[in-house]
């Protein structure tokens, strides 16, 4: 029986995935002549050309593209096998690597992740914070287990990842007591000209709030914009302006910051997602996050 040389297939797959022999050599830590020789041997074994020149780049032929897609499936299954083996119960702690979208409130991130820390198996948590695009790229490379975000991944990123809807919550406007008293009467029209603190305009919730303002004909005075919700909270606590808060955090902000509710942004909802590289979740920590989010955090 004739067997496929999987080493050759892996080299071919890496060259196509990285876009060049040079980049593949850097990743594989091999010399260009070695990779070139392996590719020739692979084509000789199959009796077909898999790559062709396009300017300075190597691109797959029509058959090469079909082979690459099959290779992607093969190595994806291989990664899943390794993940399954690594997650078997052992005396070592279970490692859970979570990517947190930098616009996601830290308090919600904690609420979502905390159930994973209650597993019977000891768990060692590693958190990475960055923008969604960067985190999803790391997810696709299996460098992290799950990404938590307030927005789903769109097909435009062209990555093989899956959105798992966790739930949603409303938005309330809050402020320190003096501002809350001043702008609470006549809400929401009272926000016209009022000092507000908002997330930056590249976030899902900001776009919804801008639409809410436009629908009501309200033009607040924008004092500051923040990528980091934790910093927005600090400025809000200091009395710099009125700020939006996910309703699931209202009681926390009341207790810890002494903030008061001014009113509810009706029909404005924040949606939350766990994004994984697998359609069917397997990591016990990720499963715990998703189940508890739907059962407790956003119930």
């Amino acid at each position: 029986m004739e067997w496929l040389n999987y080493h050759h297939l892996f080299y071919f797959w890496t060259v196509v995935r990285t876009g060049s022999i040079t980049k593949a050599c850097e990743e594989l830590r091999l010399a260009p002549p070695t990779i070139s020789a392996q590719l020739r041997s692979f084509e000789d074994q199959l009796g077909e050309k898999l790559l062709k020149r396009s300017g300075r780049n190597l691109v797959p032929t029509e058959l090469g593209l079909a082979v690459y897609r099959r290779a992607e499936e093969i190595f994806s299954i291989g990664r899943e096998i390794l993940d399954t083996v690594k997650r078997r119960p052992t005396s070592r702690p279970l490692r859970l690597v979570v990517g947190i979208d930098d616009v996601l409130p830290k308090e919600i991130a904690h609420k979502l992740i905390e159930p994973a820390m209650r597993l019977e198996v000891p768990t060692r948590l590693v958190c990475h914070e960055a923008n969604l695009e960067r985190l999803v790229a790391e997810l696709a490379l299996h460098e992290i287990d799950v990404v938590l975000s307030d927005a789903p991944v769109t097909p435009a990123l062209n990555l093989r990842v899956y959105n798992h809807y966790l739930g949603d919550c409303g938005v309330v406007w809050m402020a320190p007591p003096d501002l809350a008293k001043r702008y609470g009467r006549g809400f929401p029209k009272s926000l016209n000209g009022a000092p507000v603190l908002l997330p930056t305009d590249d976030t899902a919730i900001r776009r919804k709030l801008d639409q809410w303002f436009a629908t009501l004909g309200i033009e607040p005075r924008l004092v500051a914009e923040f990528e980091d919700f934790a910093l927005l909270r600090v400025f809000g606590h200091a009395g710099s302006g009125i700020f939006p808060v996910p309703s699931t955090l209202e009681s926390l902000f009341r207790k810890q910051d002494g903030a008061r509710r001014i009113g509810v942004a009706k029909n404005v909802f924040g949606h939350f997602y766990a994004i994984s590289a697998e359609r069917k979740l397997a990591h016990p920590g990720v499963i715990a996050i998703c189940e508890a989010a739907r059962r407790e955090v956003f119930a």
Side-chain angles (χ1 to χ4, degrees):
M1 178 183 293
E2 186 177 8
W3 286 92
L4 185 68
N5 188 314
Y6 288 97
H7 288 289
H8 291 169
L9 180 64
F10 181 70
Y11 296 146
F12 165 76
W13 174 73
T14 304
V15 168
V16 176
R17 178 173 56 81
T18 59
S20 71
I21 288 180
T22 301
K23 291 181 180 178
C25 289
E26 293 174 357
E27 184 172 310
L28 298 171
R29 298 184 180 181
L30 295 173
T34 301
I35 296 293
S36 297
Q38 300 292 336
L39 292 177
R40 285 195 297 271
S41 296
F42 189 41
E43 289 180 329
D44 289 344
Q45 181 192 13
L46 297 180
E48 296 284 350
K49 290 290 292 182
L50 301 178
L51 295 166
K52 62 182 179 181
R53 284 282 176 187
S54 177
R56 296 184 178 181
N57 299 320
L58 278 177
V59 297
T61 62
E62 185 176 348
L63 177 63
L65 187 59
V67 172
Y68 172 76
R69 288 170 178 163
R70 290 296 187 184
E72 178 70 19
E73 295 176 11
I74 290 170
F75 295 124
S76 176
I77 292 171
R79 289 191 296 267
E80 290 175 6
I81 291 172
L82 285 176
D83 289 343
T84 299
V85 172
K86 288 179 181 178
R87 290 164 187 162
R88 289 180 60 194
T90 66
S91 58
R92 294 177 299 174
L94 179 69
R95 189 168 185 262
L96 173 62
V97 185
V98 180
I100 302 170
D101 191 347
D102 51 17
V103 302
L104 189 73
K106 306 300 185 294
E107 297 82 3
I108 287 184
H110 175 260
K111 282 176 171 283
L112 292 173
I113 297 171
E114 198 272 335
M117 307 304 293
R118 301 198 304 258
L119 293 172
E120 294 183 3
V121 179
T123 303
R124 181 164 67 89
L125 175 67
V126 180
C127 290
H128 293 294
E129 187 177 3
N131 61 57
L132 182 58
E133 186 172 338
R134 177 179 171 183
L135 291 173
V136 171
E138 294 179 6
L139 179 69
L141 294 174
H142 294 263
E143 294 176 357
I144 54 183
D145 298 304
V146 67
V147 173
L148 301 178
S149 176
D150 69 343
V153 174
T154 64
L157 288 181
N158 197 29
L159 292 171
R160 191 174 174 180
V161 296
Y162 302 93
N163 299 307
H164 305 273
Y165 181 64
L166 300 179
D168 58 58
C169 67
V171 175
V172 297
W173 289 97
M174 303 189 76
D178 56 337
L179 285 178
K181 183 177 180 180
R182 180 177 177 182
Y183 293 102
R185 293 180 181 177
F187 179 89
K189 292 296 183 180
S190 59
L191 296 187
N192 199 43
V196 298
L197 311 175
L198 291 173
T200 52
D201 59 8
D202 58 346
T203 60
I205 195 64
R206 170 63 183 277
R207 291 189 289 271
K208 293 174 183 178
L209 289 171
D210 284 346
Q211 181 61 45
W212 183 75
F213 284 134
T215 301
L216 295 175
I218 295 172
E219 294 186 14
R221 177 167 60 89
L222 180 57
V223 174
E225 301 173 88
F226 302 88
E227 289 184 346
D228 187 339
F229 189 83
L231 188 57
L232 185 153
R233 178 182 179 181
V234 171
F235 274 75
H237 178 65
S240 298
I242 300 163
F243 52 97
V245 176
S247 58
T248 189
L249 299 179
E250 181 180 1
S251 61
L252 179 68
F253 277 52
R254 283 177 176 274
K255 181 178 180 181
Q256 294 186 355
D257 296 356
R260 295 291 180 265
R261 178 198 285 203
I262 293 176
V264 177
K266 289 185 178 180
N267 300 318
V268 176
F269 295 93
H271 302 283
F272 301 91
Y273 300 84
I275 304 165
S276 73
E278 51 197 6
R279 187 186 299 275
K280 184 177 181 179
L281 300 177
H283 194 297
V286 179
I287 294 172
I289 287 173
C290 293
E291 290 182 347
R294 295 161 184 153
R295 185 178 63 248
E296 301 170 16
V297 181
F298 302 116

